[in-house]
Amino acid sequence: MPKRRKILFKLIIFIIFILSIAGCWNRRELDTLAIVFGVGIDKAKKPGNIEITAQVIKPGEMKSPQGGSGGGGEKPYWNLTSSGKTIFSAVREFTHKSNRKLYFPHNEIIIFSEDIAKEGIRKYMDFFIRDPEIRRLVWVLVAKGNASEVLETKAILEKVPARNIAQLIEARAATSQASAVRLQEFLTRLMSKTTAPIASVIEITREKKEKIARLIGTAVFKDDKLVGYLNKSETRGLLWVIGEVKSGIIVVKSPGGNGEVSLEIICASSKIIPEIKDNNIHIRVEITEEGNLGEQTSAEDLTSLPAWTVLERRQSEAIHNEVRRALKKAQELNTDIFAFGEAVHRKYPELWKDIENRWDEYFPNIEVTINVNAKLRRSGMTTKPPKPE
Amino acid sequence: MLRFLAKKLHFLQLLSQNSEDKQESKSRESSQTSLSRDITQNLKVLKDILGPSNDINIREFSFGYEEKVDAAIIFVDGMVEKTTINESIIKPLMYDSHLFTPKESQTITTSIDLIQRSMISVGDVKKVDSFDELVDDCLYGDTVLLIDGSHEALVISTKGWESRGVQEPKTEAVVRGPREGFTETLRTNTTLLRRKIRDPNFIFESMQLGQRTKTSVCLAYIKGIVNPKLVEEVRRRLKRIKTDAILESGYIEEFIEDAPFSPFATVANSEKPDVIAAKLLEGRVAILVDGTPMVLTVPMLFIESFQSAEDYYSRPYYASLIRTLRFIAYTITILAPAVYVALTTYHQESIPTPLLITMAAAREGTPFPAIVEALMMGTIYEILWEAGIRLPRPVGSAISIVGALVIGESAVSAGLIGAPMVIVVALTAITSFVVPAQSDTATMLRFVLTVFASVLGAFGIMIVLLGVLIHLSALRSFGTPYFSPLAPLSPRDLKDVFARVPLWAMFTRPRTIGWHDPQRQEFRLDPHPPPEESEK
């Protein structure tokens, strides 16, 4: 008997351990959750307070009933707002309005309004790193205007505006003219001493009285404060350098001078190489790119070797220009969005200790060489434009 | 609590032992052990033993040419072939008694030899001199011939009763392969096996079990392949069964299995002679029981449940594919409701967003928590299943329609149950039939897993699965690790686990079972072109 009792005792101990090492858990049924798809952060009317807008989906409305009262009906989402001194308090404040607890793991976007971004957002980021429910894969955006208004825009093909915006971010790879920044990367940049954080920019356009969200350009932060925006081509210039260009169209003049040629970017990569020349820090950016001939409005045959070479040269010139423009803008704003500082840090750790705190003085005047190695590969399904021989 | 139960069990055990002893002594008292020379005395004793049952026929007659001798035959009506008795016992004795001319020198003892040798035209005749043996044989369909003046009786084999023919087994239907199945008659079953394996080393060892039913049990093995220690162990375990009735092989299974409290069966069974033959040829021992078509084989391995006879009859690629499918189906059938419950109540973050929306929409407005839904649907399904087995055929379809409508369509449209749960339960229901040998444990496991998933989420599922895995690895069936060849791993035996390699590549028998004569066939049996003739 004592042996059996010993086994029983061990079993009980095991069960206690098992139950306690399960950690932070809680049983929640699906129908007790308010699934958050997007979060917007605005300034509240009361000074010093913030206002949070959470876009919560209504699962029942999400699935359009077949045959039933189709069309019209209620919006499949609900934008809740609440305000407080801190994010967490404002989030908990939601329980006064919503019977279900807000559930964040499926949240896809965090939008900061322009006002709040200009004042600095470091104090608001803490909650998003600390809370276990928030994913680091959330997209970070800055809204030109109010964040809550962006979450009210009309999503035509999607049912929920937040999801529409998240997919806009994923679709921007087709042009590479807007940044896409995940929370993880935003935080990395924010916690770096020299690298400036960037974020996507979302703005509202009006089309036929409908408010439509439009994703374009890049928001540039100095430290944690919004200081300016990059436009379309400057954004691509930035993305060339940090190696984030996925695809896009480069339009160049036709070699014959008559008409335009669209070149499609197929793949691109980059390297940032810091060098020290005459006691000066010098940055060399190597960009390798491959493209295809996608369209031509001129009537000439571009697949001949001379025309092809000219096209390749114009392509690399175009890339060069875009990078130059982005660089100029960054140096004007004195924001190291390219992470040049980190590159120097990696290559010259000893030197970096000296200049780390004075990087702001170095950066605006830093000399940058841009080497573009652009190739043109294929010409699509045809070699000649459609014209009579 | 447990100790209380143990005491209770012990008490019951003692009680039954006691009564057994009593019965035995009683039956011994009433019977004389050996026959006397006086036929009337013998008949009196026999009538006393056999009682007033009306199915026992005693036919007294006398025969002889010059001198009449009294004789009697005793048989159980319905268990004998009457034509044999009439044509081969009574007729020769009565009509051809001129052959029976005992010379002066011959005593009646030698004359019974004469009858046995030259008058009874039946294949199987033996001499018996004790009442016990005589009664046993008589009750098993043999005819007893008593002759006055002899202290021995002749037991003439006249077994013959109504029985089901050899039919296709309902439980293990195949598309390709033999369609015959075992029957309830032991002799037919041994015949079916003998026809498959015509090897003098193929041995049937018979014994009787059950003090009242006296059920014939037959131990079958192939000498030379089987491990003699295994046969010895099976014999030992069978011999120690002292119970009053063995009505089905399940009775024996429970008395001889290694882990009586484990949910996993450690004794395999099959209705198909080809399956049993294949297992015998791998070095297993089969136990055939009179009165049931289910034949037991030991030792049993866990993966045996996933191997079907057809795997070996169809070509290896397809067989391996189906084998893999069975493992997947088994995983689904034990895990599906548990995973669904765990995901929807604890790990909503790991469901892809669009799927989460769909699932949340389906859950919207349903009154019960996921675990209640799961247990309710699981129970309803088990009830339908159980009812479906016992239903009379004509009612079957009606009930199944009602069942399908009730647990499927209506429960969802009435808003009682979420649609995904119906899908999950339907999926488990279908997949549970893919591995029939494990379907009973799968049902139990499924419920346990679901409950744990509802309390601890995926963590709970892992705990149960690990526990089951440890248990499986610790189980043994007649000295063979139950989970082999996976644990302990014997790589060479993996040829028949997840994939089934071509038959010509299965050189060896399973190491853990058939090690006694490991080589099954010759090497290099794969089809290949004939060696080229030497060039001129």
Side-chain angles (χ1 to χ4, degrees):
Chain A
M1 267 315 143
K3 198 180 172 190
R4 199 169 288 178
R5 195 173 294 172
K6 213 171 169 183
I7 291 171
L8 200 71
F9 179 72
K10 277 183 187 169
L11 205 71
I12 289 169
I13 295 282
F14 274 133
I15 289 170
I16 290 170
F17 279 170
I18 280 167
L19 288 173
S20 57
I21 60 172
C24 170
W25 60 278
N26 197 4
R27 202 175 74 86
R28 282 171 297 196
E29 290 293 332
L30 275 185
D31 48 14
T32 63
L33 297 179
I35 301 162
V36 178
F37 264 36
V39 174
I41 298 164
D42 289 300
K43 257 189 193 171
K45 281 182 192 121
K46 199 174 157 195
N49 276 20
I50 46 147
E51 188 184 82
I52 295 191
T53 310
Q55 187 153 74
V56 170
I57 57 150
K58 297 192 258 180
E61 307 283 336
M62 286 289 285
K63 261 179 90 185
S64 52
Q66 285 169 338
S69 55
E74 282 188 61
K75 283 179 186 167
Y77 60 90
W78 180 29
N79 284 354
L80 275 133
T81 54
S82 87
S83 53
K85 276 207 164 61
T86 60
I87 302 247
F88 206 8
S89 70
V91 164
R92 277 294 156 90
E93 212 41 43
F94 281 127
T95 37
H96 293 305
K97 288 183 187 169
S98 161
N99 58 333
R100 299 182 180 182
K101 199 171 165 289
L102 263 58
Y103 188 67
F104 284 93
H106 286 272
N107 179 25
E108 288 183 273
I109 53 172
I110 300 173
I111 307 174
F112 291 98
S113 77
E114 199 171 16
D115 301 346
I116 215 153
K118 276 180 180 158
E119 279 181 13
I121 56 170
R122 174 164 284 134
K123 51 191 167 187
Y124 308 123
M125 295 312 287
D126 186 76
F127 172 75
F128 293 110
I129 351 176
R130 212 176 283 276
D131 195 272
E133 277 196 6
I134 310 278
R135 292 189 185 217
R136 296 284 172 96
L137 296 177
V138 175
W139 301 110
V140 180
L141 299 100
V142 169
K144 284 187 175 171
N146 277 339
S148 63
E149 231 174 297
V150 174
L151 288 173
E152 288 285 356
T153 51
K154 179 92 178 168
I156 311 281
L157 296 177
E158 281 295 323
K159 286 187 171 150
V160 185
R163 190 144 176 79
N164 176 43
I165 292 166
Q167 294 192 345
L168 278 180
I169 294 174
E170 273 156 51
R172 60 83 226 185
T175 60
S176 302
Q177 286 176 336
S179 305
V181 184
R182 295 197 185 267
L183 182 59
Q184 179 67 45
E185 205 207 325
F186 189 85
L187 288 169
T188 315
R189 283 170 171 261
L190 188 65
M191 287 156 87
S192 155
K193 269 194 175 171
T194 55
T195 312
I198 51 173
S200 317
V201 178
I202 191 100
E203 57 180 36
I204 300 168
T205 55
R206 277 171 199 282
E207 276 171 33
K208 293 172 193 166
K209 288 182 186 169
E210 298 267 33
K211 285 196 274 183
I212 305 278
R214 182 164 173 263
L215 186 84
I216 199 151
T218 304
V220 178
F221 288 73
K222 178 76 186 169
D223 207 8
D224 69 330
K225 295 179 179 65
L226 177 71
V227 288
Y229 296 102
L230 303 186
N231 64 19
K232 285 204 286 193
S233 72
E234 285 162 356
T235 298
R236 192 149 77 192
L238 163 67
L239 298 182
W240 284 120
V241 178
I242 58 178
E244 296 247 320
V245 172
K246 298 272 186 288
S247 179
I249 307 298
I250 301 171
V251 181
V252 294
K253 280 260 177 298
S254 189
N258 203 353
E260 312 280 336
V261 179
S262 312
L263 304 172
E264 190 188 0
I265 305 161
I266 297 303
C267 63
S269 62
S270 71
K271 238 184 235 168
I272 300 169
I273 304 159
E275 281 161 350
I276 298 193
K277 279 184 192 165
D278 317 327
N279 261 346
N280 253 338
I281 297 169
H282 184 97
I283 305 279
R284 187 153 55 88
V285 179
E286 305 263 4
I287 296 168
T288 321
E289 188 257 8
E290 275 183 31
N292 284 348
L293 174 58
E295 184 191 9
Q296 69 180 92
T297 56
S298 57
E300 61 202 301
D301 180 4
L302 292 178
T303 51
S304 65
L305 187 60
W308 201 253
T309 324
V310 172
L311 274 181
E312 276 191 342
R313 207 184 60 235
R314 290 198 176 163
Q315 186 189 12
S316 56
E317 271 165 17
I319 296 169
H320 197 277
N321 283 341
E322 282 180 339
V323 175
R324 206 30 91 190
R325 251 175 265 153
L327 195 67
K328 188 166 163 257
K329 186 69 174 265
Q331 285 182 329
E332 270 169 25
L333 296 170
N334 195 5
T335 49
D336 181 9
I337 49 179
F338 307 103
F340 285 160
E342 294 293 334
V344 176
H345 184 185
R346 273 196 294 274
K347 193 158 180 193
Y348 303 109
E350 290 301 317
L351 176 73
W352 182 247
K353 277 180 197 156
D354 296 340
I355 59 172
E356 188 179 8
N357 293 323
R358 287 177 292 142
W359 184 246
D360 278 357
E361 296 161 25
Y362 280 91
F363 182 74
N365 307 314
I366 206 158
E367 214 174 298
V368 180
T369 335
I370 302 155
N371 294 335
V372 182
N373 179 15
K375 291 265 182 335
L376 214 50
R377 295 293 185 201
R378 283 158 287 267
S379 66
M381 305 287 283
T382 177
T383 51
K384 295 181 181 68
K387 59 155 192 182
E389 288 295 321
Chain B
M1 178 73 189
L2 276 171
R3 215 190 311 175
F4 170 73
L5 276 176
K7 267 186 184 170
K8 201 96 185 165
L9 270 173
H10 189 62
F11 173 69
L12 283 173
Q13 220 172 0
L14 282 177
L15 201 74
S16 66
Q17 254 173 19
N18 226 357
S19 65
E20 263 173 34
D21 289 348
K22 263 185 210 160
Q23 275 170 9
E24 256 176 87
S25 58
K26 209 170 145 192
S27 61
R28 251 183 232 132
E29 261 170 47
S30 66
S31 71
Q32 276 175 291
T33 42
S34 55
L35 283 93
S36 70
R37 287 186 186 277
D38 183 10
I39 189 167
T40 41
Q41 172 68 22
N42 285 342
L43 279 175
K44 195 171 160 278
V45 174
L46 263 180
K47 275 178 191 162
D48 211 34
I49 296 172
L50 291 168
S53 312
N54 68 350
D55 62 338
I56 290 161
N57 279 7
I58 301 178
R59 164 85 158 85
E60 291 175 60
F61 61 98
S62 44
F63 68 101
Y65 190 58
E66 288 159 350
E67 192 186 341
K68 293 284 180 198
V69 180
D70 281 333
I73 55 171
I74 303 113
F75 60 90
V76 179
D77 195 15
M79 287 184 78
V80 294
E81 268 177 46
K82 283 220 171 120
T83 44
T84 318
I85 296 180
N86 295 344
E87 298 293 322
S88 311
I89 303 173
I90 299 180
K91 205 172 166 188
L93 283 174
M94 285 183 168
Y95 292 122
D96 308 332
S97 49
H98 58 275
L99 293 170
F100 182 68
T101 45
K103 286 164 198 151
E104 302 299 310
S105 57
Q106 281 174 329
T107 64
I108 201 75
T109 322
T110 44
S111 69
I112 201 163
D113 280 337
L114 187 72
I115 291 170
Q116 184 186 357
R117 280 177 163 275
S118 54
M119 294 190 75
I120 309 291
S121 52
V122 175
D124 185 8
V125 181
K126 62 176 177 179
K127 275 193 285 186
V128 163
D129 66 350
S130 81
F131 278 110
D132 278 345
E133 213 176 326
L134 191 146
V135 167
D136 282 356
D137 289 337
C138 177
L139 290 177
Y140 198 24
D142 287 346
T143 301
V144 177
L145 174 62
L146 290 174
I147 295 165
D148 194 23
S150 167
H151 71 282
E152 284 174 316
L154 288 183
V155 171
I156 304 147
S157 172
T158 52
K159 290 188 183 74
W161 48 77
E162 292 299 314
S163 70
R164 197 167 60 97
V166 175
Q167 288 168 336
E168 182 170 6
K170 289 240 166 65
T171 53
E172 295 167 82
V174 288
V175 177
R176 179 172 177 175
R179 303 209 194 295
E180 58 189 12
F182 287 121
T183 69
E184 281 75 9
T185 315
L186 181 63
R187 192 44 69 202
T188 318
N189 295 351
T190 54
T191 316
L192 287 170
L193 281 178
R194 179 68 79 185
R195 255 179 49 208
K196 298 243 179 250
I197 307 170
R198 273 176 245 140
D199 184 342
N201 285 325
F202 181 29
I203 286 169
F204 290 110
E205 240 180 68
S206 64
M207 57 178 81
Q208 279 193 344
L209 291 180
Q211 268 126 0
R212 293 217 181 272
T213 58
K214 304 248 162 63
T215 312
S216 300
V217 174
C218 192
L219 206 62
Y221 55 89
I222 299 172
K223 210 164 68 184
I225 296 176
V226 78
N227 180 357
K229 279 186 191 160
L230 173 65
V231 182
E232 189 46 50
E233 176 64 17
V234 177
R235 214 179 281 140
R236 189 186 67 79
R237 291 196 196 179
L238 285 176
K239 289 261 165 68
R240 61 170 278 280
I241 303 176
K242 297 250 177 334
T243 179
D244 63 340
I246 301 288
L247 294 180
E248 211 270 340
S249 50
Y251 280 52
I252 290 185
E253 182 179 342
E254 277 189 41
F255 282 112
I256 65 168
E257 66 188 342
D258 286 66
F261 293 110
S262 166
F264 292 92
T266 48
V267 178
N269 61 62
S270 176
E271 262 193 273
K272 286 172 63 62
D274 52 325
V275 172
I276 299 296
K279 287 186 178 177
L280 288 170
L281 287 165
E282 281 187 346
R284 288 188 178 83
V285 171
I287 303 162
L288 291 85
V289 180
D290 193 27
T292 176
M294 307 309 288
V295 173
L296 306 177
T297 51
V298 291
M300 182 197 182
L301 306 182
F302 184 67
I303 49 145
E304 229 169 286
S305 321
F306 296 87
Q307 298 167 336
S308 141
E310 241 175 312
D311 289 356
Y312 305 94
Y313 306 148
S314 48
R315 304 192 60 242
Y317 289 122
Y318 184 67
S320 306
L321 183 75
I322 295 297
R323 180 81 55 87
T324 317
L325 218 60
R326 271 187 221 123
F327 282 101
I328 295 171
Y330 184 69
T331 317
I332 291 176
T333 195
I334 63 170
L335 280 180
V339 168
Y340 178 79
V341 168
L343 281 182
T344 55
T345 51
Y346 291 102
H347 316 292
Q348 293 96 347
E349 69 276 357
S350 43
I351 309 172
T353 309
L355 182 61
L356 179 77
I357 296 167
T358 320
M359 274 159 61
R363 291 277 304 142
E364 204 73 9
T366 52
F368 305 112
I371 173 64
V372 176
E373 274 190 6
L375 293 181
M376 206 160 71
M377 291 299 284
T379 315
I380 290 175
Y381 164 68
E382 292 301 328
I383 290 171
L384 276 173
W385 194 72
E386 188 61 21
I389 302 174
R390 327 266 171 236
L391 281 178
R393 279 281 157 72
V395 200
S397 60
I399 295 295
S400 57
I401 289 168
V402 170
L405 284 178
V406 168
I407 68 167
E409 196 54 36
S410 324
V412 174
S413 57
L416 289 175
I417 304 283
M421 185 52 89
V422 175
I423 297 170
V424 167
V425 170
L427 198 68
T428 54
I430 293 164
T431 47
S432 69
F433 292 105
V434 178
V435 187
Q438 289 291 344
S439 72
D440 46 354
T441 40
T443 308
M444 287 184 272
L445 265 182
R446 190 190 306 143
F447 276 103
V448 173
L449 278 165
T450 314
V451 169
F452 265 76
S454 77
V455 182
L456 291 168
F459 187 63
I461 296 178
M462 285 324 288
I463 291 171
V464 178
L465 283 185
L466 279 179
V468 168
L469 213 60
I470 291 170
H471 174 65
L472 280 176
S473 318
L475 262 187
R476 270 162 184 275
S477 169
F478 285 81
T480 306
Y482 191 57
F483 216 44
S484 72
L486 295 172
L489 185 73
S490 57
R492 221 187 310 158
D493 283 357
L494 292 179
K495 61 181 184 284
D496 198 14
V497 177
F498 299 110
R500 198 222 90 196
V501 302
L503 290 175
W504 45 259
M506 291 194 184
F507 303 120
T508 54
R509 301 199 162 81
R511 203 178 68 89
T512 39
I513 304 163
W515 63 274
H516 205 66
D517 176 15
Q519 195 179 336
R520 203 195 305 246
Q521 62 202 10
E522 290 195 2
F523 292 89
R524 285 285 292 162
L525 282 180
D526 52 315
H528 51 78
E532 294 214 0
E533 286 173 36
S534 54
E535 281 168 49
K536 284 168 193 171

